Amino acid sequence: MAILLPGGAGYIGSHTAVELLKAGKEIVIVDDFSNSSPKVLDAIRKITGKDFKFYELDYKNKEKLEKIFEENEIDSVINFAGFKAVGESVKKPLEYYENNVSGALVLLDTMRKYGCKKFIFSSSATVYGTPEVIPITEESKTGGTTNPYGTTKLFIEKILEDLYASDNTWDICILRYFNPVGAHESGLIGEEPQGIPNNLMPYIVRVANGTFKELSVFGNDYDTPDGTGVRDYIHVVDLSKGHVKALEKLDKEGNGLYIYNLGTGIGYSVLDMVNAFKKSTGKEVAYKITERRPGDIATCYADPTKAKVELGWVAEKNLEDMCKDSWNYIEMSQKK
Ligand code: UFG
């Protein structure tokens, strides 16, 4: 019985592959390397000392996807094959809807055909739009997404709800990620953004290593303690462990549609992150205050109680781990 990981060579997929292998699970990775590299597969093998099957293909290719279900006993699927760049999604909405929404439809339809009905979906805190109440619980209102990327997450959640309503023998878990940062402590896998990074931590490490002169802090006039945006940063290894717990829950209880926030429950500002990075690594991060970034909200952090109570999952790593591991990864990749 294997777990299929479309997008398993990507940032969150690769870290989850490691945690699943460590937990003794069998995995099959599918990736087209559109936003990842073949080197990641060897890194996963090196970290875990375990092997797995890999198929290079676009997960939207139904014919080839079906072949994988023919050749393997796939028991469950965790989908990491979504495109995730907010800015790019505004410029390429059709590509985002096609890859994320049509891709999910192809995947779910193929799963149904082969009687595989256990699915974990990588959603995002972005589905809450501008939150009305902080911290955000799973019951908070969703909607009001401000970009096509976020809307794809919202649409897929809705598709999963409708699917479950039509057939309650599906076991579905929607995981709403807050802000994943950090890297595996080995420095062998981590985040590899293409071009100029959009997200804060990848930008901070690239200012620290001299790739960029300074960080632009997008606004210091928000209604937050220091005026800069507050987010719930979560170490990618903690996040990955959340998937293992979610799978265990589906294996044990099944037949349900579950939704969990995966965050720490702590909000840090942009300047908190700059200061924590310096404290953890000794590296200065030059910055300047600029205009607000369109679409940004002031504050977003999770109430992670439900995941703690129902999955037995809590984030264990702290801000220092997040900074150190992000820095270690970029230093290690420069040495390669
Ligand atoms: N920020 C800067 N300068 C930068 C980059 C970011 O000041 O160069 C600030 C942002 O304004 C924000 C904070 O740092 O206040 C975090 O920004 P990120 O771009 O790292 O993350 P976001 O919270 O905007 O978005 C992330 C993911 C999305 C996801 C969303 C959910 O990138 O995929 O969280 O809330 F949808």
Side-chain angles (χ1 to χ4, degrees), residues 84-86 124-127 129 147 149-150 153 177-181 197-204 214-219 222 228-233 268-270 273 288 290-293 295-298 300:
K84 60 171 188 178
V86 173
S124 163
T126 195
V127 299
N147 55 75
Y149 156 77
K153 296 291 178 191
Y177 306 163
F178 281 68
N179 289 55
V181 294
N198 183 54
N199 297 119
L200 181 63
M201 187 61 104
Y203 208 98
I204 286 181
E214 60 192 2
L215 170 75
S216 294
V217 175
F218 299 142
Y222 285 106
T228 66
V230 168
R231 296 290 182 275
D232 186 336
Y233 297 92
Y268 289 108
S269 75
V270 178
M273 296 302 282
K288 62 168 189 249
T290 64
E291 292 287 287
R292 289 182 179 195
R293 182 171 64 178
D296 272 356
I297 53 178
C300 173

Side-chain angles (χ1 to χ4, degrees), residues 140-154:
S140 302
K141 209 174 94 206
T142 58
T145 48
T146 53
N147 55 75
Y149 156 77
T151 309
T152 66
K153 296 291 178 191
L154 198 63

